[in-house]
Amino acid sequence: LISSVREGRKAKVFVAEPKEFDEIQGIADNFKNDIPIIVNLQRVDQDISKRIIDFCSGLAYALEGDIKKVADRVFLITPSNIEVNSKENEFVSEEGFFKPF
């Protein structure tokens, strides 16, 4: 469940499926505009995936957002104005980000 802190506005979600590290500029640009990002790394080389997740983790931290694993090699990056509620929070903390790699 994703809910916007600012009521009365439709929330947009940007879906990114980067193939190369150079393609992450769009992730950062959308995230800076308070748009949640779904990052699908299922078709990306393992080393590039780790670099992208490192970048996204730093981006989320710097802009006071959050990053959560939502599926195998799929992550949700949320800005500070978005709250994510899930019964699976324990899974993320137990498994860690890089367990499937």
Side-chain angles (χ1 to χ4, degrees):
L1 171 68
I2 300 175
S3 60
S4 176
V5 174
R6 298 179 205 154
E7 297 300 323
R9 216 176 104 196
K10 272 191 174 181
K12 295 180 181 179
V13 177
F14 180 76
V15 177
E17 296 184 83
K19 306 275 186 291
E20 300 291 330
F21 185 78
D22 295 341
E23 297 176 37
I24 60 172
Q25 181 69 43
I27 294 171
D29 291 342
N30 279 286
F31 192 76
K32 288 190 307 187
N33 289 318
D34 290 332
I35 298 173
I37 314 291
I38 295 173
V39 182
N40 182 349
L41 300 173
Q42 293 177 333
R43 296 184 182 148
V44 179
D45 175 73
Q46 181 176 340
D47 292 335
I48 294 171
S49 294
K50 288 181 182 181
R51 288 184 64 203
I52 292 171
I53 291 303
D54 286 345
F55 175 86
C56 291
S57 295
L59 179 67
Y61 177 79
L63 297 177
E64 299 179 356
D66 198 13
I67 183 168
K68 300 262 190 250
K69 181 177 178 183
V70 294
D72 182 38
R73 298 177 68 150
V74 178
F75 299 85
L76 174 64
I77 310 167
T78 52
S80 60
N81 68 324
I82 302 291
E83 180 180 305
V84 178
N85 296 319
S86 172
K87 294 179 183 178
E88 300 298 323
N89 285 339
E90 301 84 34
F91 173 76
V92 173
S93 61
E94 289 173 13
E95 294 292 320
F97 287 134
F98 299 113
K99 190 71 167 182
F101 292 113

